[in-house]
Amino acid sequence: MVSQPNRRMVLGGTVGAALAEAVLGPATASAATEDRAVVRSPNGRLRVTVRVLDGRLRYEVRRRGRVLVDSAGLGLDLADRPSLTGGLVLEDVEHSRIDESWRPVWGSDAVVRNRANECVVRTVQPESGIRLELVVRVFDDGLGFRYRLPAQAGLGDYTVTAERTEFVLPPTATSWSLAAGTDWNADERHYRKAALAEVETAQTPLTFVTRDGQHLVLHEAALIDYPSMTLAADSARPGTFTSELISLPDGTKAKLSGEFSTPWRTLTIGDRAGDLAESHLIENLNEPCSFADTSWIEPGTYVGVWWELQRRHTTWTEGPRHGATTDRVKQYIDLAKETGARNVLAEGWNTNAGGEWTGQDFLTPRADFDLPEVLRYARENGVGFIAHNETRGFVDYYEEKLDTIFARYAELGIHAIKTGYATKFQLGGVNRSHFDQEAVRHYQRVIDAAARYRIMINAHEAIKPTGLGRTYPNMMTGEGVAGMEQHNYMGPEGNPPEQATILPFTRFIGGPADYTPGVLNVTWDPAGLGTRVQTTSATQLALYSVFFSPLQMLADTPENYRAHPGYAYLKDIPASWDETRFLDCVIGDHTVVARRKGDTWYLGAITDERDRTLRVPLRFLRPGRYEAEIYRDAADTDWHQNPLPIEIETRTVRASTTLTLRLPAGGGTAIRLRPRHS
């Protein structure tokens, strides 16, 4: 990861007000005696005001003079100490400026600009002597703020019993959210649309659009050693939410020691839906890469024994229909070589996988799976192996063996694993939420251990992403989404088509998702489950532009791919990008995304349950002629009755071209655009 030097100018109490005005604007040159601090975005359009009012920290957010967050309270409750929501006195305000560019190891853009103004508001509670700081960072596309408890006498070990962060939002705004939950699958549900005043609880991200068209996402960044934040509505104040942290088994929230900074509470803001999806605010609020050498981290597509298990064509368990056999995985290795996929996944390869999932041995393969031969064949074909580690929530058992497992994988040349935590989370001798502080610590221990052995992680049933991929880029992707498998488990209607048009502006705001797209035979039902994928085949191709994951699965089987003409589009498709543009997007209706790798663009367009015709200008192209390879639904394609047919057309286009895309309900279009050099 390459980063240009951070250029900061610190404007503390010893710097004159005139200099503060010159650098940050007149509103930031406030003295501590005024009991307030103001910090603006670099372009001046966004303003955050922090005050100590009647002894409590409060903040307000305005954009272009309009209130986005009305005066809202801040603070923490610590066990056996006075609440830090009162009795505070403002002592000092320090301003600084951030302007840097950095290159992700993988991402949606090759270069990221990190430009913001920051303010540290320092307070003290004379009654207890406790010092509490609020760090506010304001970007052109949003803001983040976090609490910091500096090192101080009398605050060694302490317990957070509640976080009292308020968000006073426009109650008439239209929102998309998931109800707050502590279950393992709380993030794997369908997003609901409602006025903010009707939302009682929410996971984050919470996305909403105001009546005047401002788009916002409320989330968190840099979630480390702290519980996940959910939101609880104040029934007496419509549109007002308070942070509700996931509890430890004893009912407290976090057990801390010494100096500590909480995760950032974030608002990503834009004029259009695409501004939210293009933002790097969450990543920028995380620390730079912690690894000196990242050469071993390789984004790319992968294939494997997975969808056939979901469709019950084969089994995780041993027997006549076992999926992860030596011969079957070799067939997927051949598929990987054909498609340019970097890795092959095998679920059910190890002893005691499947069934009760108890007593698993993550090092000993099944009798019909010759691991050395599979690894030899994979190396011979330039393909890596992803080892499935489904803990089934036996986390203590897994942690005891973690270093032994990873060390052996490193010896074998296995550099990627897919973890899983389905149904429970037994850690520290108790079953707990996947999202409490100790669970968050476990996920971090896995990332750290994997890094020691140069292993990449794809985590399922894990904590939501909060931009940590910048700091720990071996944390490649994760679940936390109603992905492809929910077409099995959500009943005959699976994931309704509109869900795919919502996800880029909700779940994907925090980071990549292992949605596992690419099922081209959407009606395949070998076990007679009575369920199917609720899209057309062309939509599955378009999802490779709409959804981002640096480990991106080509989820269908070798037989289904080779029988479908859309297979050609997936060969050598990238999983990390140089540039991303969200072109025409209405949350819940339709989404059009273009992503560039080198000089080739991939454009995907999808719609909800309604037919749509979209006009898409190609102004993002550089000068010259391009060959557009278009994969679209055929004239007789019908999402319900005839979802498989696609038409393939090749035509010449330029930046001045406007394409007309006809999308049937549940349908889509995928386009590859290559420069023509003759």
Side-chain angles (χ1 to χ4, degrees), residues 63 66-69 169-176 196 207-216 269-271:
R63 186 169 185 254
R66 298 176 180 176
V67 174
L68 291 181
V69 181
L169 308 174
T172 58
T174 300
S175 72
W176 292 265
L196 267 178
T207 300
F208 57 101
V209 180
T210 64
R211 281 186 168 179
D212 60 356
Q214 299 191 77
H215 292 66
L216 301 93
I269 307 170
D271 292 319

Side-chain angles (χ1 to χ4, degrees), residues 209-467:
V209 180
T210 64
R211 281 186 168 179
D212 60 356
Q214 299 191 77
H215 292 66
L216 301 93
V217 181
L218 196 168
H219 192 36
E220 59 181 319
L223 175 54
I224 299 174
D225 196 15
Y226 204 70
S228 176
M229 179 182 73
T230 67
L231 302 169
D234 183 337
S235 59
R237 296 183 293 167
T240 296
F241 296 87
T242 301
S243 58
E244 180 63 43
L245 306 179
I246 300 297
S247 297
L248 291 162
D250 66 2
T252 63
K253 306 302 184 182
K255 299 181 187 300
L256 305 172
S257 180
E259 181 170 339
F260 186 80
S261 295
T262 70
W264 298 89
R265 280 58 187 105
T266 67
L267 276 172
T268 306
I269 307 170
D271 292 319
R272 43 178 210 112
D275 294 338
L276 304 179
E278 291 175 4
S279 172
H280 293 283
L281 182 145
I282 300 294
E283 297 161 276
N284 281 332
L285 285 167
N286 282 266
E287 294 300 312
C289 182
S290 63
F291 308 151
D293 177 18
T294 60
S295 60
W296 51 278
I297 300 173
E298 296 185 341
T301 56
Y302 72 98
V303 301
V305 179
W306 179 76
W307 186 240
E308 63 182 64
L309 299 172
Q310 299 295 328
R311 302 306 286 159
R312 304 301 187 261
H313 182 58
T314 55
T315 64
W316 283 271
T317 53
E318 288 182 279
R321 293 174 50 240
H322 183 216
T325 65
T326 303
D327 289 343
R328 185 56 170 164
V329 174
K330 281 187 172 183
Q331 293 172 24
Y332 277 96
I333 292 171
D334 293 340
L335 177 69
K337 185 176 181 180
E338 284 180 21
T339 60
R342 289 186 177 272
N343 289 287
V344 61
L345 166 73
E347 294 201 8
W349 69 277
N350 61 298
T351 301
N352 290 338
E356 296 299 317
W357 299 91
T358 55
Q360 285 189 81
D361 184 338
F362 296 106
L363 295 175
T364 304
R366 289 260 170 69
D368 58 359
F369 184 77
D370 186 339
L371 180 60
E373 172 59 16
V374 166
L375 295 178
R376 182 204 66 78
Y377 191 71
R379 283 193 299 271
E380 182 181 285
N381 287 279
V383 177
F385 180 71
I386 300 177
H388 188 219
N389 285 191
E390 173 52 74
T391 71
R392 209 63 172 187
F394 295 110
V395 184
D396 284 322
Y397 176 85
Y398 189 54
E399 283 207 358
E400 289 171 7
K401 300 167 174 57
L402 200 58
D403 270 284
T404 301
I405 295 167
F406 287 2
R408 180 57 178 154
Y409 285 173
E411 292 173 358
L412 293 170
I414 297 173
H415 297 295
I417 66 171
K418 176 182 177 180
T419 60
Y421 300 89
T423 70
K424 56 184 172 293
F425 205 92
Q426 294 180 358
L427 175 64
V430 298
N431 189 31
R432 62 178 72 243
S433 171
H434 286 56
F435 313 135
D436 74 14
Q437 182 192 24
E438 286 299 333
V440 170
R441 286 172 168 170
H442 165 74
Y443 300 130
Q444 188 64 45
R445 287 193 289 270
V446 172
I447 294 169
D448 293 342
R452 291 196 296 273
Y453 298 102
R454 297 192 163 201
I455 291 174
M456 299 176 288
I457 300 293
N458 172 1
H460 279 231
E461 297 90 30
I463 196 70
K464 65 195 176 189
T466 58

Side-chain angles (χ1 to χ4, degrees), residues 544-556:
Y544 286 89
S545 293
V546 175
F547 295 160
F548 169 65
S549 179
L551 284 182
Q552 183 75 282
M553 192 175 197
L554 309 179
D556 217 336

Side-chain angles (χ1 to χ4, degrees), residues 67 138 189 311 326-327 367 401 470 502-503 505 644 650:
V67 174
V138 185
R189 295 168 182 166
R311 302 306 286 159
T326 303
D327 289 343
K401 300 167 174 57
R470 179 186 183 188
I502 295 171
L503 290 174
F505 317 104
L644 299 180
T650 300

Side-chain angles (χ1 to χ4, degrees), residues 77-300:
D77 287 349
L78 306 183
D80 303 319
R81 291 174 169 87
S83 173
L84 294 175
T85 59
L88 299 177
V89 175
L90 180 60
E91 282 198 317
D92 182 55
V93 175
E94 181 180 282
H95 293 278
S96 60
R97 191 176 188 178
I98 300 166
D99 195 351
E100 64 177 357
S101 294
W102 57 280
R103 291 183 176 272
V105 176
W106 46 259
S108 56
D109 292 289
V111 179
V112 175
R113 179 81 178 274
N114 181 15
R115 182 169 173 249
N117 291 327
E118 183 175 283
C119 177
V120 180
V121 179
R122 298 187 177 94
T123 71
V124 65
Q125 187 181 61
E127 176 187 356
S128 65
I130 296 177
R131 299 182 181 279
L132 176 66
E133 299 177 355
L134 185 74
V135 184
V136 182
R137 196 173 293 177
V138 185
F139 305 78
D140 289 342
D141 58 350
L143 63 115
F145 61 85
R146 72 193 316 178
Y147 301 102
R148 184 163 65 204
L149 288 155
Q152 53 193 291
L155 199 65
D157 296 334
Y158 53 99
T159 299
V160 177
T161 57
E163 182 183 311
R164 305 293 185 183
T165 307
E166 292 181 347
F167 305 91
V168 182
L169 308 174
T172 58
T174 300
S175 72
W176 292 265
S177 67
L178 301 175
T182 59
D183 293 342
W184 63 278
N185 58 355
D187 290 321
E188 299 180 29
R189 295 168 182 166
H190 293 154
Y191 280 84
R192 58 193 181 177
K193 179 181 178 181
L196 267 178
E198 299 172 7
V199 176
E200 296 180 357
T201 67
Q203 304 280 89
T204 69
L206 165 66
T207 300
F208 57 101
V209 180
T210 64
R211 281 186 168 179
D212 60 356
Q214 299 191 77
H215 292 66
L216 301 93
V217 181
L218 196 168
H219 192 36
E220 59 181 319
L223 175 54
I224 299 174
D225 196 15
Y226 204 70
S228 176
M229 179 182 73
T230 67
L231 302 169
D234 183 337
S235 59
R237 296 183 293 167
T240 296
F241 296 87
T242 301
S243 58
E244 180 63 43
L245 306 179
I246 300 297
S247 297
L248 291 162
D250 66 2
T252 63
K253 306 302 184 182
K255 299 181 187 300
L256 305 172
S257 180
E259 181 170 339
F260 186 80
S261 295
T262 70
W264 298 89
R265 280 58 187 105
T266 67
L267 276 172
T268 306
I269 307 170
D271 292 319
R272 43 178 210 112
D275 294 338
L276 304 179
E278 291 175 4
S279 172
H280 293 283
L281 182 145
I282 300 294
E283 297 161 276
N284 281 332
L285 285 167
N286 282 266
E287 294 300 312
C289 182
S290 63
F291 308 151
D293 177 18
T294 60
S295 60
W296 51 278
I297 300 173
E298 296 185 341

